[in-house]
Amino acid sequence: AYRKWYAEQGKLGLQDEPLFPGMLKLLHDLKNNKEFHIGVATNKSRIALNNGLKKHNLNNIFDITLTMDEAKAKPDPDMAIQAMSKLNMKKKSTVIVGDTINDIGLGVNAGINSIGVAWGYNSIEMLRNEGADFIIKNSDKTISVISPYFGKEIATLVDGVTKLNKLESKPDQSK
């Protein structure tokens, strides 16, 4: 019943579609860096995602977008598997960055690295318990935290899949 109601809200353009502070600039920085593919993996409907992308003028920023209309809902790994296949990416070069246990669960179930962000819907404890490889606590620090981890200047996307060319070792969980 909830999924049906949520999908209806999306069709009507009534879902709240906030962007976390700093994410718009980060998305544009990623798009301008040709070494990355960026995408969205969401449990929203296609109509709801398209409404959100239009609202924030993000229609042409992503290399791939997947919703529960085209793939099994997260935490099932289907969205990550489809994105990696369509973008010709390997697991070791893919990471999901998300704010919910469903995002982290997708990463765990797909066998890809996952980064939880503490400014979203689920607590740090919940994200860690779900299996997040790393937690980012401050959105202003996203780039500086991820850069040394992935050996790139920028590499993150909330609720999405990002291609990383260099993934060497997992970060120290105590950070």
Side-chain angles (χ1 to χ4, degrees):
Y2 173 76
R3 281 189 195 265
K4 183 178 178 182
W5 172 84
Y6 192 74
E8 284 301 316
Q9 295 297 295
K11 289 176 186 175
L12 297 172
L14 299 176
Q15 290 175 338
D16 186 26
E17 302 291 343
L19 279 180
F20 294 114
M23 292 301 111
L24 189 59
K25 180 184 181 316
L26 182 58
L27 290 170
H28 286 285
D29 288 347
L30 280 168
K31 185 65 176 177
N32 292 330
N33 184 330
K34 303 298 182 201
E35 295 186 30
F36 298 101
H37 291 295
I38 58 175
V40 174
T42 182
N43 283 351
K44 289 181 171 78
S45 68
R46 170 58 56 195
I47 292 171
L49 175 61
N50 289 347
N51 286 342
L53 295 176
K54 182 178 178 182
K55 175 181 177 179
H56 296 291
N57 197 26
L58 294 172
N59 289 327
N60 298 316
I61 200 128
F62 298 103
D63 298 298
I64 191 168
T65 60
L66 292 165
T67 73
M68 66 178 188
D69 292 339
E70 299 96 31
K72 294 178 184 171
K74 298 179 293 182
D76 190 280
D78 190 36
M79 289 186 206
I81 292 167
Q82 283 191 44
M84 288 185 292
S85 175
K86 290 176 182 178
L87 296 173
N88 197 27
M89 296 304 307
K90 296 180 181 176
K91 287 182 181 183
K92 69 179 183 177
S93 300
T94 304
V95 64
I96 182 149
V97 179
D99 64 334
T100 70
I101 57 173
N102 286 331
D103 300 324
I104 303 306
L106 175 144
V108 169
N109 293 334
I112 61 175
N113 288 278
S114 60
I115 297 176
V117 297
W119 57 85
Y121 291 100
N122 291 149
S123 69
I124 291 171
E125 182 179 352
M126 291 174 74
L127 297 170
R128 283 188 200 255
N129 289 343
E130 191 63 28
D133 295 303
F134 193 65
I135 299 290
I136 297 174
K137 296 179 182 176
N138 183 331
S139 64
D140 295 336
K141 306 276 187 205
T142 302
I143 292 173
S144 63
V145 170
I146 292 179
S147 294
Y149 177 60
F150 293 110
K152 293 288 178 189
E153 290 181 27
I154 48 176
T156 190
L157 175 63
V158 173
D159 199 28
V161 178
T162 303
K163 170 188 172 186
L164 300 171
N165 286 339
K166 192 189 278 186
L167 182 59
E168 295 172 0
S169 61
K170 293 193 177 191
D172 180 357
Q173 289 283 336
S174 65
K175 291 183 182 175

